[in-house]
Amino acid sequence: VSEPAPQPDARELTRSVLQACTGTHGFALAGVCSVEPSAWGGEFAAWLAAGKHGSMDYLQNNIETRLDPARMLDGVRAAVVVGDLYATRADNEDAPLRNGEGRIARYARGRDYHKVIKKRLHALADSLAASHEGHTFRAAVDTAPVLERELAARAGIGWTGKHTLMIHPREGSYTLLGVLLTTLDLEPEATPMADHCGTCTRCIEACPTNAITPYSVDGSRCISYLTIEHRERIEPGLHEGIGAWLYGCDICQEVCPHNSLREEPGAGVYEAYTARRDRFDLLEILGWDEDARRDAFISSAMKRATLAMMKRNAVIVLGNQMRREPDAAVLDRLRAVAADENEPELVRGAARDVLED
Ligand code: SF4
Ligand code: SF4
């Protein structure tokens, strides 16, 4: 049974919405899809049941909504999916780290993407609401229970790679997604994006903690999760794999052959994500108090990590550097942290783990 042809006005409206996304609002990617329940409900339940969400208990909340975004907005007819580019393959080459420095994942080097994307989605919603009375909108960026990557594939923007991140065929995976649900009658993309991973296994082989099985990441082993989400002790067996990653990890994206071939670093990257810094001094972090952390993370997505988590991560990265190059001053500092009763157990325990290793 063939679908009824879309109304010409739906097609025209869709075209103008997508033009507004990529024009006025500056998104690199934009598409429209219908709002149907997720096709991945069984896989998501199995992933949770296997404990691969680690301590991200919030993923167990609102499961029905997460698997059926239509529950988020009464009368929803379509989802506008948008994406910003925050890095290209040319940005893979960071200046070498010196001892005592820890690396930040690329998405967190500029301004907080939640705010950067939401502000423009709200502006888009306001302008559409002004010209389409009675219609409603709801923006979601990462924090709301929406499976953006599945919607992005349906909207023809990109496919979900074996590392579970969305990949656009030309722009790659250094992208950040947002979704605007709407009651407007828009014409959904007819052809979902096909999977182009093929026989490639580069990300699986490169992952230092063996967190990736095709199309599934074990959150409880992933460095991004461990350094950003996990608020408890990081098992010493995972320390070495963390390497120099103080906050997040980009390795599975660095090795992906689909990352943007733009040759100029920063080409096509939305201005707000221009890197302000790509590293922190680890001993400096060990000296931070709450005010210092707040100052360092102003308008950054890094404020997701607490002070204790940042110190724990800094201790682990220092420990990894000590494996390569023992340093008496760092050793003394780690001993002092382990004995410092003013530090939370998360930090002191990490220092003990590193010293005992
Ligand atoms: S972010 Fe790092 S640790 Fe996580 S799956 Fe990718 S390579 Fe592995
Ligand atoms: S590295 Fe290869 S397998 Fe992994 S996401 Fe990229 S194309 Fe897919």
Side-chain angles (χ1 to χ4, degrees):
V1 180
S2 60
E3 291 287 317
Q7 300 298 305
D9 55 342
R11 181 166 299 166
E12 189 49 43
L13 178 58
T14 304
R15 195 174 298 134
S16 79
V17 168
L18 294 179
Q19 273 172 0
C21 290
T22 53
T24 313
H25 302 289
F27 290 108
L29 313 171
V32 166
C33 65
S34 56
V35 182
E36 292 146 16
S38 170
W40 299 101
E43 285 79 359
F44 188 59
W47 185 81
L48 287 173
K52 293 188 175 181
H53 59 303
S55 55
M56 292 182 283
D57 291 339
Y58 62 87
L59 290 175
Q60 289 176 307
N61 303 333
N62 302 316
I63 291 180
E64 292 82 8
T65 308
R66 204 176 284 279
L67 297 176
D68 184 7
R71 289 170 176 249
M72 285 181 61
L73 183 71
D74 281 346
V76 66
R77 299 296 301 268
V80 181
V81 186
V82 293
D84 277 336
L85 199 59
Y86 66 87
T88 73
R89 188 186 304 196
D91 296 303
N92 278 345
E93 297 302 323
D94 291 327
L97 287 180
R98 291 196 300 262
N99 269 353
E101 293 178 333
R103 197 181 297 287
I104 309 166
R106 292 179 176 81
Y107 84 88
R109 294 178 182 183
R111 301 184 86 80
D112 185 348
Y113 66 98
H114 299 98
K115 289 188 179 158
V116 171
I117 296 179
K118 255 197 176 162
K119 190 172 170 192
R120 287 139 73 215
L121 284 180
H122 286 155
L124 173 66
D126 288 348
S127 69
L128 289 170
S131 51
H132 297 84
E133 207 175 316
H135 282 281
T136 51
F137 304 85
R138 179 155 179 199
V141 183
D142 202 15
T143 42
V146 172
L147 295 174
E148 298 102 339
R149 287 169 246 176
E150 185 176 7
L151 296 181
R154 285 192 206 157
I157 289 181
W159 78 96
T160 301
K162 290 180 187 172
H163 53 17
T164 74
L165 301 167
M166 190 213 77
I167 307 174
H168 180 275
R170 286 188 315 281
E171 303 293 5
S173 63
Y174 288 129
T175 57
L176 295 160
L177 296 173
V179 174
L180 186 68
L181 299 170
T182 175
T183 56
L184 283 174
D185 212 358
L186 300 177
E187 181 187 16
E189 171 62 41
T191 319
M193 178 65 70
D195 182 335
H196 296 292
C197 279
T199 56
C200 177
T201 52
R202 287 193 205 180
C203 56
I204 297 168
E205 285 150 20
C207 175
T209 54
N210 297 318
I212 308 176
T213 46
Y215 306 105
S216 177
V217 166
D218 182 346
S220 66
R221 300 187 64 82
C222 170
I223 296 163
S224 285
Y225 154 80
L226 291 169
T227 55
I228 300 171
E229 302 283 346
H230 187 57
R231 291 170 181 245
E232 295 157 27
R233 178 185 187 224
I234 295 178
E235 288 301 321
L238 292 166
H239 284 196
E240 193 168 359
I242 289 172
W245 290 104
L246 172 70
Y247 186 96
C249 166
D250 284 333
I251 291 173
C252 51
Q253 301 195 81
E254 288 171 352
V255 300
C256 181
H258 290 281
N259 260 328
S260 169
L261 289 172
R262 292 173 191 262
E263 288 180 0
E264 282 295 308
V269 168
Y270 191 68
E271 201 186 349
Y273 307 118
T274 303
R276 296 184 291 186
R277 60 189 309 160
D278 64 356
R279 63 195 65 198
F280 272 100
D281 184 282
L282 302 165
L283 292 177
E284 192 182 310
I285 288 176
L286 291 183
W288 278 358
D289 58 14
E290 274 299 347
D291 288 344
R293 171 189 164 275
R294 201 171 319 123
D295 289 348
F297 291 173
I298 279 177
S299 59
S300 162
M302 288 184 71
K303 49 183 165 299
R304 187 156 183 84
T306 64
L307 178 62
M309 288 165 70
M310 288 305 295
K311 290 189 178 185
R312 172 202 61 189
N313 299 349
V315 162
I316 292 171
V317 174
L318 281 169
N320 288 338
Q321 294 179 355
M322 293 272 290
R323 286 175 211 270
R324 289 196 320 270
E325 210 172 315
D327 180 318
V330 172
L331 190 60
D332 282 350
R333 189 76 177 89
L334 290 175
R335 284 189 181 128
V337 169
D340 186 347
E341 292 187 356
N342 293 316
E343 290 293 356
E345 176 52 28
L346 186 67
V347 183
R348 299 176 64 197
R352 284 197 305 275
D353 285 340
V354 163
L355 291 166
E356 281 167 16
D357 194 10

